[in-house]
Amino acid sequence: MREILEKLYLKNSLTREELLYLLGNLMENDRDKLYRLAYNTTLRTYGNRIFVRGLLEFTNYCKNNCNYCGLRRDNKKVERYRLSKEEILVSLEEGNKLGYKTFVLQGGEDPYYTDEILVDIIKSIKNRYKDVAVTLSIGERSRESYEKLYNAGADRFLLRHETATKKLYDSLHEGMSFEHRIKCLINLKEIGYQVGAGFIVGLPGETNETLADNLLFLKRLEPAMVGIGPLISHPDTPLRGFENGSIETTLTMISLTRLLLPNALIPATTALNTLSSEGLEKGILAGANVVMLNLSPIEARKKYEIYKGKEITDIHQLKKIEERVKKVSFKVDMGRGDHINYNGRIKDV
Ligand code: 5AD
Ligand code: SF4
């Protein structure tokens, strides 16, 4: 175990066999050591800074039916909403006033937002705020569509791969395809976006092999950002009553990702914060260095219920975030927080 951790820290790479050995034999003291190595790695790459993002959930319509998600199309209990361009701009102005330099526009896969509508929204934002980064998180689209949005000024794109085990992926995503999802990630990277991938911890049937698949996939894809969060079972989905993902496993995955991809931007996710009262602090101690704060209109927030009990920290609560991260010797950085040394190269994923 000692040798594997040492190799991971110094070489930032492990074979599948080593990863599986590590996952199968991690004792409590090894885990603490892993967290420490990951935290030190963050200090080495980005320093003790946590980057903040303003997250705007602009539509909760979704044409997909992911088995874990409260916004899936078959959930008729959701009151659906869409924000207009004007409403979006009003919300972002609040974030701008507070000094936010990254806005994440997130939504379900909602065909209402055509390329034309989105191009107009992105151009308006980039025109108004010259020095902000715009991140899209709007699911799978054609390569042409991704190109248009990039040319309109979008800088980054979040599209979690959800799980890199094809069989598991297919069992949870009726009507979708694993191959297409991966193709989308490659397209986004080739176009020039800073790409965010990531996965859910604790999906039904998850094994150490699944976790290793995820980590090895990330190592090959080399995304700029990686979002990892525990499953939180939603009562109005096929995964109702299913056990939530483990906090410990989530933190272990954050650490391993930090060590495999030292330059990645890794959020302490909302899901982690929802399941754990000190999710942000624990996330940072395990290698995270980003936090996404909510800037959606109040009426929208309740309706954007991916899972129950979502712990929302909003953009006005920066002070609280500052105090919390201070406990783990970090400070809030209000800059754009771009990836350092981003490698747009595509390997064989
Ligand atoms: N629990 C945890 N994460 C979820 N997501 C969707 N539903 C759930 C859930 N019930 C995650 C997916 C998606 C991201 C926006 O939220 O990974 O990509
Ligand atoms: Fe739609 Fe995303 Fe939820 Fe899947 S995870 S149902 S694509 S909002």
Side-chain angles (χ1 to χ4, degrees):
M1 182 62 73
R2 236 195 63 205
E3 280 158 36
I4 291 181
L5 289 176
E6 205 152 283
K7 174 178 173 195
L8 185 57
Y9 184 61
L10 296 175
K11 301 238 169 80
N12 307 117
S13 115
L14 287 183
T15 63
R16 172 177 289 270
E17 291 65 40
E18 289 165 335
L19 257 181
L20 287 173
Y21 179 87
L22 187 151
L23 294 173
N25 297 281
L26 210 56
M27 297 294 150
E28 204 168 309
N29 60 326
D30 303 319
R31 216 181 279 273
D32 289 341
K33 181 159 180 212
L34 180 71
Y35 296 158
R36 270 201 310 280
L37 293 176
Y39 178 83
N40 284 341
T41 300
T42 319
L43 292 180
R44 224 182 52 221
T45 51
Y46 288 93
N48 64 337
R49 299 175 293 167
I50 178 119
F51 299 105
V52 290
R53 322 291 196 200
L55 173 69
L56 179 61
E57 298 147 338
F58 70 97
T59 172
N60 70 352
Y61 280 84
C62 190
K63 67 175 162 72
N64 290 337
N65 222 9
C66 307
N67 278 2
Y68 40 81
C69 178
L71 300 184
R72 67 201 302 275
R73 83 169 173 261
D74 281 356
N75 184 6
K76 305 295 181 214
K77 290 195 187 165
V78 180
E79 204 186 310
R80 306 281 172 171
Y81 73 88
R82 293 185 174 109
L83 301 187
S84 67
K85 174 181 157 189
E86 288 66 37
E87 288 170 318
I88 291 174
L89 290 171
V90 166
S91 293
L92 296 192
E93 178 50 28
E94 273 201 49
N96 175 60
K97 275 197 221 126
L98 295 165
Y100 285 77
K101 293 280 176 256
T102 293
F103 295 124
V104 182
L105 302 187
Q106 184 169 83
E109 285 191 24
D110 181 357
Y112 168 87
Y113 292 91
T114 57
D115 293 344
E116 198 185 345
I117 293 178
L118 287 172
V119 162
D120 180 39
I121 293 171
I122 295 163
K123 282 189 173 163
S124 304
I125 299 169
K126 295 293 276 197
N127 251 326
R128 203 172 277 202
Y129 311 118
K130 299 274 183 260
D131 54 344
V132 307
V134 170
T135 305
L136 301 176
S137 176
I138 53 175
E140 298 181 23
R141 299 174 82 94
S142 68
R143 183 175 177 117
E144 295 68 41
S145 171
Y146 287 151
E147 273 166 358
K148 283 185 195 159
L149 306 178
Y150 183 76
N151 293 332
D155 303 273
R156 309 180 186 144
F157 203 107
L158 307 179
L159 184 74
R160 289 190 179 176
H161 63 278
E162 312 296 3
T163 176
T165 308
K166 176 178 156 51
K167 235 176 112 194
L168 182 56
Y169 185 94
D170 289 343
S171 75
L172 295 163
H173 302 95
E174 161 207 330
M176 297 172 79
S177 111
F178 178 65
E179 290 75 13
H180 190 254
R181 192 138 191 110
I182 304 308
K183 186 75 195 141
C184 284
L185 283 163
I186 292 171
N187 282 338
L188 289 162
K189 208 176 164 191
E190 280 177 355
I191 291 166
Y193 285 97
Q194 289 177 46
V195 173
F199 60 99
I200 302 178
V201 169
L203 288 171
E206 175 192 277
T207 60
N208 284 345
E209 293 275 354
T210 321
L211 298 171
D213 283 345
N214 280 318
L215 295 165
L216 294 167
F217 170 74
L218 288 169
K219 180 70 185 167
R220 290 195 300 275
L221 180 69
E222 281 194 278
M225 302 159 288
V226 183
I228 300 169
L231 174 76
I232 302 178
S233 152
H234 191 299
D236 305 316
T237 67
L239 297 195
R240 72 184 64 86
F242 202 84
E243 206 183 318
N244 290 336
S246 135
I247 294 170
E248 201 171 71
T249 308
T250 303
L251 294 170
T252 304
M253 292 302 118
I254 289 176
S255 288
L256 288 169
T257 301
R258 166 63 64 213
L259 288 160
L260 290 168
L261 297 172
N263 296 332
L265 290 151
I266 304 178
T269 54
T270 310
L272 177 62
N273 257 305
T274 298
L275 286 193
S276 164
S277 60
E278 294 193 316
L280 173 62
E281 295 85 337
K282 287 181 189 157
I284 292 174
L285 287 173
N289 64 342
V290 171
V291 66
M292 291 161 82
L293 305 183
N294 197 292
L295 57 68
S296 308
I298 304 283
E299 319 78 67
R301 284 181 201 177
K302 305 188 274 295
K303 298 179 193 155
Y304 202 86
E305 203 179 50
I306 295 178
Y307 42 80
K308 286 276 169 196
K310 201 167 86 178
E311 175 64 35
I312 296 172
T313 310
D314 96 2
I315 49 164
H316 298 281
Q317 292 169 286
L318 258 182
K319 268 261 153 338
K320 198 167 108 189
I321 297 292
E322 252 154 29
E323 281 160 25
R324 288 179 65 181
V325 305
K326 216 168 137 185
K327 287 188 276 177
V328 290
S329 310
F330 261 52
K331 54 185 185 226
V332 169
D333 188 309
M334 293 300 287
R336 270 175 55 125
D338 281 298
H339 184 275
I340 45 172
N341 302 328
Y342 188 47
N343 178 0
R345 212 162 16 108
I346 310 286
K347 285 190 214 148
D348 191 14
V349 293

